[in-house]
Amino acid sequence: MYKKKIPVNLDCGLHLFMEIIQGKWKISLIWCIHSGIKRPGELQRKMPKASRRLLDTQLSELVNHGILTKITYDERPLKVEYELTSLGKSLIPAIEYTAQWGEDHREELEKLIQS
């Protein structure tokens, strides 16, 4: 497992928040699982630009940080599902607010990004 060279700053709530959601696909993973997509294959189909390995890594980090629970069913073929924990569910309003902010400022942000 990768070990960070720079210690994590735990003095600020924003740094704690960023440590948990840091990663290109983590917010999308949280949102998809909140929306009912629970299986790794379904998540991969929803985010085809992300490699399966990267999604698996970020799912594992979210499990380790207490945002998701991984459920493994004892059957063949192996069946795995993810669910939000109560801590993970508490992120949903922040994600919704952030998405709304993006929509509210879409025109200006698209111009800035494209220039």
Short mmCIF file of all heavy atoms in Angstrom, two decimals, residues 4 8 13-31 58-59 61-62 65-67 84 87-88 90-92 94-95 98:
data_model
loop_
_atom_site.label_atom_id
_atom_site.label_comp_id
_atom_site.label_asym_id
_atom_site.label_seq_id
_atom_site.Cartn_x
_atom_site.Cartn_y
_atom_site.Cartn_z
N LYS A 4 2.10 7.87 2.28
CA LYS A 4 2.33 9.28 1.97
C LYS A 4 3.62 9.76 2.60
O LYS A 4 3.93 9.41 3.72
CB LYS A 4 1.16 10.13 2.47
CG LYS A 4 -0.10 9.85 1.71
CD LYS A 4 -1.19 10.81 2.11
CE LYS A 4 -2.41 10.51 1.28
NZ LYS A 4 -3.44 11.47 1.45
N VAL A 8 -0.36 13.96 6.95
CA VAL A 8 -1.68 14.58 6.77
C VAL A 8 -1.90 15.61 7.86
O VAL A 8 -1.65 15.34 9.04
CB VAL A 8 -2.78 13.49 6.82
CG1 VAL A 8 -4.15 14.11 6.71
CG2 VAL A 8 -2.55 12.45 5.76
N GLY A 13 -10.91 20.94 9.76
CA GLY A 13 -11.98 20.12 9.22
C GLY A 13 -11.94 20.01 7.70
O GLY A 13 -12.24 18.96 7.14
N LEU A 14 -11.53 21.09 7.04
CA LEU A 14 -11.43 21.06 5.58
C LEU A 14 -10.36 20.07 5.13
O LEU A 14 -10.56 19.32 4.17
CB LEU A 14 -11.13 22.46 5.03
CG LEU A 14 -11.09 22.58 3.51
CD1 LEU A 14 -12.41 22.15 2.90
CD2 LEU A 14 -10.76 24.01 3.11
N HIS A 15 -9.23 20.03 5.84
CA HIS A 15 -8.17 19.07 5.51
C HIS A 15 -8.66 17.63 5.73
O HIS A 15 -8.35 16.74 4.94
CB HIS A 15 -6.91 19.33 6.32
CG HIS A 15 -6.22 20.59 5.92
ND1 HIS A 15 -5.62 21.42 6.84
CD2 HIS A 15 -6.02 21.17 4.72
CE1 HIS A 15 -5.10 22.46 6.22
NE2 HIS A 15 -5.33 22.33 4.93
N LEU A 16 -9.41 17.41 6.79
CA LEU A 16 -9.98 16.08 7.04
C LEU A 16 -10.93 15.68 5.91
O LEU A 16 -10.86 14.56 5.39
CB LEU A 16 -10.72 16.06 8.38
CG LEU A 16 -9.86 16.16 9.63
CD1 LEU A 16 -10.73 16.43 10.84
CD2 LEU A 16 -9.05 14.90 9.82
N PHE A 17 -11.79 16.60 5.54
CA PHE A 17 -12.75 16.36 4.45
C PHE A 17 -12.01 16.03 3.15
O PHE A 17 -12.33 15.05 2.47
CB PHE A 17 -13.64 17.60 4.28
CG PHE A 17 -14.58 17.53 3.11
CD1 PHE A 17 -15.71 16.74 3.17
CD2 PHE A 17 -14.33 18.26 1.97
CE1 PHE A 17 -16.59 16.68 2.10
CE2 PHE A 17 -15.20 18.22 0.89
CZ PHE A 17 -16.33 17.42 0.95
N MET A 18 -11.01 16.84 2.82
CA MET A 18 -10.25 16.62 1.59
C MET A 18 -9.50 15.29 1.61
O MET A 18 -9.38 14.63 0.58
CB MET A 18 -9.28 17.78 1.34
CG MET A 18 -9.96 19.09 1.02
SD MET A 18 -10.99 19.01 -0.45
CE MET A 18 -9.76 18.71 -1.69
N GLU A 19 -9.00 14.89 2.75
CA GLU A 19 -8.29 13.62 2.87
C GLU A 19 -9.22 12.45 2.53
O GLU A 19 -8.82 11.49 1.89
CB GLU A 19 -7.72 13.46 4.28
CG GLU A 19 -6.91 12.20 4.48
CD GLU A 19 -5.66 12.15 3.61
OE1 GLU A 19 -5.10 13.19 3.25
OE2 GLU A 19 -5.23 11.01 3.31
N ILE A 20 -10.47 12.56 2.93
CA ILE A 20 -11.44 11.49 2.68
C ILE A 20 -11.88 11.45 1.23
O ILE A 20 -11.95 10.39 0.62
CB ILE A 20 -12.67 11.65 3.61
CG1 ILE A 20 -12.27 11.54 5.07
CG2 ILE A 20 -13.76 10.64 3.26
CD1 ILE A 20 -11.57 10.26 5.46
N ILE A 21 -12.19 12.60 0.63
CA ILE A 21 -12.75 12.60 -0.72
C ILE A 21 -11.71 12.80 -1.81
O ILE A 21 -12.05 12.79 -2.99
CB ILE A 21 -13.87 13.65 -0.88
CG1 ILE A 21 -13.33 15.06 -0.70
CG2 ILE A 21 -15.02 13.36 0.06
CD1 ILE A 21 -14.15 16.10 -1.38
N GLN A 22 -10.45 12.99 -1.42
CA GLN A 22 -9.39 13.21 -2.40
C GLN A 22 -9.27 11.99 -3.31
O GLN A 22 -9.09 10.87 -2.85
CB GLN A 22 -8.08 13.42 -1.65
CG GLN A 22 -6.90 13.73 -2.48
CD GLN A 22 -5.70 14.02 -1.61
OE1 GLN A 22 -5.82 14.72 -0.61
NE2 GLN A 22 -4.57 13.45 -1.94
N GLY A 23 -9.38 12.22 -4.57
CA GLY A 23 -9.33 11.15 -5.56
C GLY A 23 -10.33 11.47 -6.66
O GLY A 23 -11.45 11.88 -6.38
N LYS A 24 -9.93 11.28 -7.89
CA LYS A 24 -10.73 11.71 -9.03
C LYS A 24 -12.13 11.12 -9.05
O LYS A 24 -13.08 11.77 -9.47
CB LYS A 24 -10.01 11.37 -10.32
CG LYS A 24 -10.69 11.89 -11.55
CD LYS A 24 -9.85 11.71 -12.78
CE LYS A 24 -10.55 12.31 -13.98
NZ LYS A 24 -9.72 12.28 -15.16
N TRP A 25 -12.30 9.90 -8.59
CA TRP A 25 -13.58 9.21 -8.74
C TRP A 25 -14.35 9.01 -7.43
O TRP A 25 -15.46 8.48 -7.44
CB TRP A 25 -13.35 7.86 -9.41
CG TRP A 25 -12.71 8.02 -10.75
CD1 TRP A 25 -11.39 7.84 -11.05
CD2 TRP A 25 -13.33 8.45 -11.96
NE1 TRP A 25 -11.15 8.12 -12.37
CE2 TRP A 25 -12.33 8.50 -12.96
CE3 TRP A 25 -14.63 8.79 -12.30
CZ2 TRP A 25 -12.59 8.87 -14.27
CZ3 TRP A 25 -14.89 9.17 -13.61
CH2 TRP A 25 -13.88 9.20 -14.57
N LYS A 26 -13.80 9.43 -6.31
CA LYS A 26 -14.44 9.12 -5.02
C LYS A 26 -15.83 9.73 -4.87
O LYS A 26 -16.76 9.06 -4.43
CB LYS A 26 -13.55 9.54 -3.85
CG LYS A 26 -12.39 8.59 -3.63
CD LYS A 26 -11.60 8.99 -2.42
CE LYS A 26 -10.46 8.04 -2.19
NZ LYS A 26 -9.65 8.44 -1.04
N ILE A 27 -15.99 11.00 -5.24
CA ILE A 27 -17.31 11.62 -5.11
C ILE A 27 -18.30 10.93 -6.03
O ILE A 27 -19.45 10.67 -5.64
CB ILE A 27 -17.24 13.14 -5.36
CG1 ILE A 27 -16.50 13.80 -4.20
CG2 ILE A 27 -18.62 13.73 -5.52
CD1 ILE A 27 -16.30 15.29 -4.35
N SER A 28 -17.87 10.60 -7.24
CA SER A 28 -18.76 9.88 -8.17
C SER A 28 -19.13 8.51 -7.63
O SER A 28 -20.28 8.08 -7.75
CB SER A 28 -18.08 9.74 -9.54
OG SER A 28 -17.89 11.01 -10.12
N LEU A 29 -18.17 7.82 -7.03
CA LEU A 29 -18.46 6.51 -6.44
C LEU A 29 -19.48 6.64 -5.32
O LEU A 29 -20.45 5.87 -5.26
CB LEU A 29 -17.17 5.87 -5.91
CG LEU A 29 -16.19 5.35 -6.96
CD1 LEU A 29 -14.84 5.06 -6.35
CD2 LEU A 29 -16.77 4.13 -7.66
N ILE A 30 -19.28 7.61 -4.45
CA ILE A 30 -20.22 7.83 -3.34
C ILE A 30 -21.60 8.12 -3.88
O ILE A 30 -22.60 7.57 -3.42
CB ILE A 30 -19.72 8.96 -2.41
CG1 ILE A 30 -18.44 8.54 -1.69
CG2 ILE A 30 -20.80 9.38 -1.41
CD1 ILE A 30 -17.70 9.68 -1.02
N TRP A 31 -21.68 9.00 -4.89
CA TRP A 31 -22.98 9.38 -5.45
C TRP A 31 -23.66 8.19 -6.13
O TRP A 31 -24.87 7.98 -5.96
CB TRP A 31 -22.82 10.54 -6.43
CG TRP A 31 -24.16 11.04 -6.85
CD1 TRP A 31 -24.80 10.83 -8.04
CD2 TRP A 31 -25.07 11.79 -6.04
NE1 TRP A 31 -26.03 11.42 -8.02
CE2 TRP A 31 -26.22 12.02 -6.81
CE3 TRP A 31 -25.01 12.30 -4.75
CZ2 TRP A 31 -27.31 12.73 -6.32
CZ3 TRP A 31 -26.09 13.01 -4.27
CH2 TRP A 31 -27.23 13.22 -5.05
N GLN A 58 -9.83 3.13 -4.95
CA GLN A 58 -10.58 4.20 -4.30
C GLN A 58 -11.74 3.65 -3.48
O GLN A 58 -12.05 4.18 -2.41
CB GLN A 58 -11.03 5.24 -5.33
CG GLN A 58 -9.82 5.97 -5.88
CD GLN A 58 -10.12 7.23 -6.64
OE1 GLN A 58 -11.27 7.58 -6.89
NE2 GLN A 58 -9.07 7.94 -7.00
N LEU A 59 -12.36 2.57 -3.92
CA LEU A 59 -13.40 1.93 -3.11
C LEU A 59 -12.79 1.41 -1.81
O LEU A 59 -13.38 1.59 -0.74
CB LEU A 59 -14.05 0.78 -3.89
CG LEU A 59 -15.02 1.19 -4.99
CD1 LEU A 59 -15.30 0.02 -5.92
CD2 LEU A 59 -16.31 1.74 -4.41
N GLU A 61 -10.15 2.56 -0.26
CA GLU A 61 -9.85 3.70 0.60
C GLU A 61 -11.12 4.21 1.29
O GLU A 61 -11.09 4.55 2.48
CB GLU A 61 -9.20 4.82 -0.22
CG GLU A 61 -7.78 4.50 -0.65
CD GLU A 61 -7.20 5.53 -1.60
OE1 GLU A 61 -7.87 6.55 -1.91
OE2 GLU A 61 -6.06 5.32 -2.05
N LEU A 62 -12.23 4.26 0.55
CA LEU A 62 -13.49 4.70 1.15
C LEU A 62 -13.97 3.73 2.23
O LEU A 62 -14.53 4.14 3.25
CB LEU A 62 -14.55 4.90 0.06
CG LEU A 62 -14.32 6.10 -0.86
CD1 LEU A 62 -15.23 6.03 -2.08
CD2 LEU A 62 -14.50 7.41 -0.11
N HIS A 65 -11.76 4.37 5.27
CA HIS A 65 -12.10 5.63 5.93
C HIS A 65 -13.51 5.61 6.54
O HIS A 65 -13.97 6.63 7.05
CB HIS A 65 -11.97 6.80 4.95
CG HIS A 65 -10.56 7.17 4.67
ND1 HIS A 65 -10.05 7.20 3.39
CD2 HIS A 65 -9.54 7.50 5.49
CE1 HIS A 65 -8.78 7.56 3.44
NE2 HIS A 65 -8.44 7.73 4.70
N GLY A 66 -14.20 4.48 6.46
CA GLY A 66 -15.51 4.36 7.10
C GLY A 66 -16.65 4.99 6.33
O GLY A 66 -17.73 5.19 6.88
N ILE A 67 -16.45 5.29 5.04
CA ILE A 67 -17.49 5.90 4.22
C ILE A 67 -18.37 4.82 3.60
O ILE A 67 -19.58 5.00 3.44
CB ILE A 67 -16.87 6.78 3.11
CG1 ILE A 67 -15.96 7.86 3.72
CG2 ILE A 67 -17.93 7.39 2.21
CD1 ILE A 67 -16.64 8.80 4.68
N LEU A 84 -23.27 2.68 1.62
CA LEU A 84 -22.82 3.82 2.41
C LEU A 84 -23.03 3.55 3.88
O LEU A 84 -24.07 3.01 4.28
CB LEU A 84 -23.60 5.08 2.02
CG LEU A 84 -23.33 5.69 0.66
CD1 LEU A 84 -24.30 6.82 0.39
CD2 LEU A 84 -21.90 6.20 0.58
N LEU A 87 -21.76 7.52 8.21
CA LEU A 87 -20.79 8.58 7.94
C LEU A 87 -20.81 8.95 6.46
O LEU A 87 -20.80 10.13 6.09
CB LEU A 87 -19.39 8.14 8.37
CG LEU A 87 -18.27 9.16 8.24
CD1 LEU A 87 -18.54 10.40 9.11
CD2 LEU A 87 -16.94 8.53 8.64
N GLY A 88 -20.88 7.95 5.60
CA GLY A 88 -20.95 8.19 4.16
C GLY A 88 -22.23 8.91 3.77
O GLY A 88 -22.21 9.83 2.94
N SER A 90 -23.81 10.95 5.52
CA SER A 90 -23.73 12.35 5.96
C SER A 90 -23.00 13.23 4.95
O SER A 90 -23.08 14.46 5.02
CB SER A 90 -23.06 12.44 7.34
OG SER A 90 -21.67 12.17 7.25
N LEU A 91 -22.28 12.64 3.98
CA LEU A 91 -21.62 13.40 2.92
C LEU A 91 -22.58 13.83 1.81
O LEU A 91 -22.28 14.76 1.06
CB LEU A 91 -20.50 12.57 2.29
CG LEU A 91 -19.19 12.49 3.01
CD1 LEU A 91 -18.29 11.44 2.35
CD2 LEU A 91 -18.50 13.83 3.03
N ILE A 92 -23.72 13.17 1.70
CA ILE A 92 -24.63 13.41 0.58
C ILE A 92 -25.07 14.88 0.50
O ILE A 92 -25.03 15.46 -0.59
CB ILE A 92 -25.83 12.44 0.61
CG1 ILE A 92 -25.33 10.99 0.48
CG2 ILE A 92 -26.85 12.77 -0.46
CD1 ILE A 92 -24.48 10.70 -0.75
N ALA A 94 -23.48 17.55 1.35
CA ALA A 94 -22.34 18.34 0.87
C ALA A 94 -22.13 18.11 -0.63
O ALA A 94 -21.84 19.06 -1.37
CB ALA A 94 -21.07 17.98 1.64
N ILE A 95 -22.29 16.89 -1.08
CA ILE A 95 -22.15 16.59 -2.51
C ILE A 95 -23.27 17.25 -3.30
O ILE A 95 -23.03 17.84 -4.36
CB ILE A 95 -22.10 15.07 -2.74
CG1 ILE A 95 -20.83 14.48 -2.11
CG2 ILE A 95 -22.16 14.73 -4.23
CD1 ILE A 95 -20.80 12.97 -2.06
N THR A 98 -22.56 20.96 -3.54
CA THR A 98 -21.47 21.22 -4.46
C THR A 98 -21.94 21.08 -5.91
O THR A 98 -21.60 21.89 -6.77
CB THR A 98 -20.30 20.26 -4.19
OG1 THR A 98 -19.92 20.39 -2.82
CG2 THR A 98 -19.11 20.55 -5.07
#
